[in-house]
Amino acid sequence: MGIEESPIDPAAFLEDVEMRIGEVTSVEPFPEARKDVYKLRVDFGTEVLQSAAGLTDLYDPDDLVGSQVVAVVNLGTVNIAGFESECLVTGVDDGEGNVVHLQPEREVPNGERIY
């Protein structure tokens, strides 16, 4: 391991990247996608956004519904096999190629901004 990216201005990062806590309200299979992903609906308190998330290896849909996630909400919309993905649910590799979703260590209000 090693930090490979050049340093950036912390203020610019916090101004440019908006990450918020949301609660997964629904999960559906997404067989039309090229990769193995779910269609998620995520409640951010004032609005609900959709996301295509590669969480299928470690999570059944019932495991995700009701869980809080960390998501980037200002990347714009990406069309994936006809599905409008409006936010990026964050995750990390577990060392075996599976995605573990990031979440707060305790429940917080939906919509809270990460800083």
Side-chain angles (χ1 to χ4, degrees), residues 4-114:
E4 300 172 5
E5 299 298 325
S6 300
I8 63 170
D9 176 17
F13 173 79
L14 292 174
E15 289 173 13
D16 292 345
V17 178
E18 185 174 351
M19 293 186 294
R20 294 196 178 264
I21 299 297
E23 181 180 337
V24 177
T25 59
S26 72
V27 180
E28 297 177 25
F30 192 6
E32 302 86 4
R34 287 186 311 204
K35 295 184 178 180
D36 200 13
V37 297
Y38 288 132
K39 293 179 184 179
L40 306 181
R41 291 185 53 78
V42 183
D43 180 0
F44 292 97
T46 58
E47 63 186 301
V48 176
L49 301 177
Q50 302 181 134
S51 182
L55 302 173
T56 58
D57 290 331
L58 296 179
Y59 305 96
D60 290 326
D62 291 341
D63 297 332
L64 293 169
V65 173
S67 69
Q68 289 190 308
V69 294
V70 176
V72 181
V73 297
N74 67 332
L75 292 175
T77 300
V78 176
N79 188 307
I80 301 170
F83 177 76
E84 299 289 323
S85 185
E86 303 166 314
C87 64
L88 173 68
V89 172
T90 60
V92 63
D93 189 301
D94 71 354
E96 297 179 13
N98 303 309
V99 179
V100 176
H101 79 83
L102 299 180
Q103 61 186 7
E105 62 95 18
R106 65 185 66 177
E107 190 171 324
V108 298
N110 291 335
E112 286 298 306
R113 188 165 183 170
I114 308 299

